[in-house]
Amino acid sequence: MVDSPYPPVQAYLNTHFIEGREGRALRILSEYIEPDARFEANNVEDTIIFFGSARTLPRDVAEEQLAEAKKSNGDVARAEMDLHMSRYYEDARELGRRLTEWSKALEGSKKRFVLCTGGGPGIMEAGNRGASEAKGLNMGFNITLPFEQGQNPYITRQLAFEFRYFFMRKFWFMYLAKAMVAFPGGFGTMDELFEALTLIQTDKVSKKLPIVLYGKEFWDDVVNLDALVKYGTISAEDLELIRFCDDVDEAYDYLTRFLEEHAIAEMARSHSKAP
């Protein structure tokens, strides 16, 4: 007797069906409905997104690895660069802490400007860690991958998400975001950055959404945005979508001022018009 892949259970309990081609639409829909229900349950109104490399190390770990590389005749150059880049982990941690303290002080029942990351290690961990140290809610939109990505321990447990589909994860990033901070990163960071810029440039995102590129040394070395203007593939005005910041104070002052002038003011205007 051959076992049937369709056992006598309700369809939503049939993992063969849910995990198969026919269940794809339900899987996609669940990654819209289930997060939305959790946002509502936790009174989350909107977010500030941090993204950057999953490989960036905390300073103490980078120092230990450099010492070990020197001791064991390892890759000292790589370890020295990791230590240099650890600055961004510490800055993301501090900026996440300060922005969370600021957002917690805002009045209202809704949780405003909740710090949100991709949920993994590196810069993502740093942002969640800083928010956790400020004793604030923070979110992680983890993506199931065969390597690198596992949820970091600093995410608020009821706001730790696990996505199967990149496009649903990106939807929630953009839908809730009121500001984005891009720290140095690789392909994933570039993908998220340029998709956000494309949506804003083409007016698919109508809200005012500040995008900070943190670490001008890195971004100038890796992405030549002026060349895009030179060759006419973007307009000079498109560069106004981006703000470069090099330290925590600068990024914090810019973001809080922008959000107070736009997102908070817009919310106040909409409330005043309500019947």
Side-chain angles (χ1 to χ4, degrees):
M1 182 176 180
V2 178
D3 291 336
S4 170
Y6 300 102
V9 297
Q10 293 95 335
Y12 68 91
L13 295 176
N14 184 341
T15 56
H16 181 86
F17 165 70
I18 292 296
E19 288 295 323
R21 180 186 61 80
E22 299 88 347
R24 182 177 296 119
L26 298 177
R27 297 195 300 270
I28 293 170
L29 189 60
S30 70
E31 292 196 351
Y32 174 79
I33 295 175
E34 194 269 354
D36 192 44
R38 275 203 263 173
F39 302 142
E40 181 69 23
N42 288 278
N43 290 318
V44 173
E45 179 78 11
D46 42 33
T47 61
I48 298 174
I49 304 296
F50 278 21
F51 50 100
S53 177
R55 305 182 188 192
T56 307
L57 301 174
R59 181 177 295 121
D60 58 344
V61 174
E63 289 173 343
E64 290 174 3
Q65 292 192 3
L66 176 58
E68 179 60 29
K70 290 178 176 178
K71 180 180 176 181
S72 61
N73 197 29
D75 191 343
V76 174
R78 176 74 272 157
E80 287 177 338
M81 180 55 72
D82 287 343
L83 180 57
H84 174 73
M85 294 296 288
S86 72
R87 167 224 165 169
Y88 296 111
Y89 182 103
E90 302 304 331
D91 284 2
R93 178 180 174 184
E94 176 64 10
L95 183 59
R97 182 187 66 79
R98 290 181 59 181
L99 288 171
T100 301
E101 290 175 346
W102 169 77
S103 68
K104 284 175 61 183
L106 299 174
E107 295 181 356
S109 60
K110 292 288 188 179
K111 303 297 190 300
R112 299 302 311 275
F113 314 120
V114 176
L115 195 136
C116 179
T117 78
I123 292 296
M124 296 172 281
E125 175 187 290
N128 292 122
R129 184 175 182 179
S132 177
E133 288 167 343
K135 296 179 171 57
L137 288 180
N138 66 91
M139 299 163 60
F141 289 172
N142 198 49
I143 186 79
T144 302
L145 296 175
F147 60 91
E148 266 186 7
Q149 191 89 339
Q151 288 190 3
N152 71 67
Y154 301 102
I155 307 166
T156 302
R157 288 300 94 190
Q158 65 268 30
L159 293 171
F161 298 87
E162 190 73 24
F163 286 90
R164 177 170 181 153
Y165 296 105
F166 268 112
F167 65 89
M168 289 307 303
R169 181 182 187 234
K170 289 178 178 180
F171 168 81
W172 282 119
F173 271 140
M174 291 301 299
Y175 187 80
L176 292 175
K178 286 296 194 296
M180 305 182 81
V181 185
F183 290 86
F187 291 158
T189 300
M190 302 299 171
D191 174 52
E192 290 158 346
L193 170 64
F194 282 104
E195 180 155 358
L197 289 171
T198 301
L199 290 170
I200 296 169
Q201 182 196 50
T202 56
D203 289 330
K204 291 298 184 181
V205 173
S206 57
K207 59 189 172 185
K208 292 186 178 296
L209 184 66
I211 295 182
V212 169
L213 299 190
Y214 195 96
K216 198 168 188 305
E217 173 195 27
F218 173 86
W219 290 107
D220 280 349
D221 200 26
V222 172
V223 181
N224 189 346
L225 296 173
D226 290 330
L228 299 180
V229 176
K230 172 185 174 181
Y231 291 108
T233 56
I234 66 171
S235 302
E237 294 76 18
D238 290 329
L239 297 183
E240 297 175 6
L241 300 175
I242 296 167
R243 173 69 175 257
F244 290 95
C245 290
D246 266 327
D247 61 61
V248 171
D249 287 341
E250 182 184 11
Y252 174 83
D253 290 344
Y254 171 69
L255 289 168
T256 54
R257 184 173 64 251
F258 192 103
L259 293 170
E260 287 167 357
E261 291 176 357
H262 297 284
I264 295 175
E266 178 62 31
M267 181 64 70
R269 284 193 293 271
S270 65
H271 286 172
S272 67
K273 294 177 182 177

